[in-house]
Amino acid sequence: MKLKVNEEEREVDVPEDVPLLWVLREELGLNGTKFGCGRALCGACTVHVDGAPKRACVTAVGDVAGQAITTIEGLGDEAQLHALQQAWMEHNVPQCGYCQPGQLMMAAALLRSKPEPTDADIDAVMAGSICRCGTYPRIRKAIHAAAKARTGAPKGGTP
Ligand code: FES
Ligand code: FES
């Protein structure tokens, strides 16, 4: 089966019903996407498929063949960090770090659909991404900071 992951063509020999998360981690070595609950409840495994957030733990790989899959490894790179990655560092968002790839992918999808999100927008979208370390206030601040960096015109929310 041919997959398009982080703008590269990849070929994998797996049954179509294997979860995308397994293929990313075990076949392609992309370990940034995390396994949390395995039941679409925590958000740790969030990736983008054709730009939309998807829970890779409950997505059959056969359903996304040929679509553009983006993982945390493809969000930005060291030479050009995504504005969210920059803001995450500036606001020291992660604690243990385990949930953070999923948080970043969810936040990136939010900024794509709402470049200047309010606190309510952030809370509504990020509510399904669980952080056992309770980094939610820093996540919210970092999303506002990234929005400001990208648009130069933040609206609402915690400074
Ligand atoms: S591991 Fe996929 S949502 Fe929790
Ligand atoms: S930073 Fe530890 S679970 Fe979120």
Side-chain angles (χ1 to χ4, degrees), residues 86-129:
Q86 190 68 42
W88 246 237
M89 291 198 309
E90 285 167 7
H91 289 268
N92 293 317
V93 172
Q95 191 162 317
C96 81
Y98 195 83
C99 72
Q100 299 296 329
Q103 304 279 5
L104 279 161
M105 296 309 284
M106 206 63 219
L110 166 64
L111 288 189
R112 191 175 298 123
S113 62
K114 277 192 192 278
E116 297 172 38
T118 64
D119 280 351
D121 294 332
I122 292 171
D123 291 349
V125 167
M126 301 302 290
S129 294

Side-chain angles (χ1 to χ4, degrees), residues 26-90:
E26 304 298 328
E27 301 291 327
L28 302 180
L30 295 168
N31 295 326
T33 307
K34 302 301 186 209
F35 172 72
C37 63
R39 297 176 60 200
L41 298 171
C42 74
C45 65
T46 303
V47 298
H48 295 175
V49 176
D50 283 345
K54 268 251 191 247
R55 304 237 153 141
C57 68
V58 292
T59 300
V61 67
D63 289 347
V64 295
Q67 297 183 66
I69 300 162
T70 307
T71 70
I72 188 69
E73 290 88 350
L75 189 65
D77 57 40
E78 284 184 31
Q80 187 164 16
L81 292 176
H82 189 284
L84 284 163
Q85 292 170 313
Q86 190 68 42
W88 246 237
M89 291 198 309
E90 285 167 7

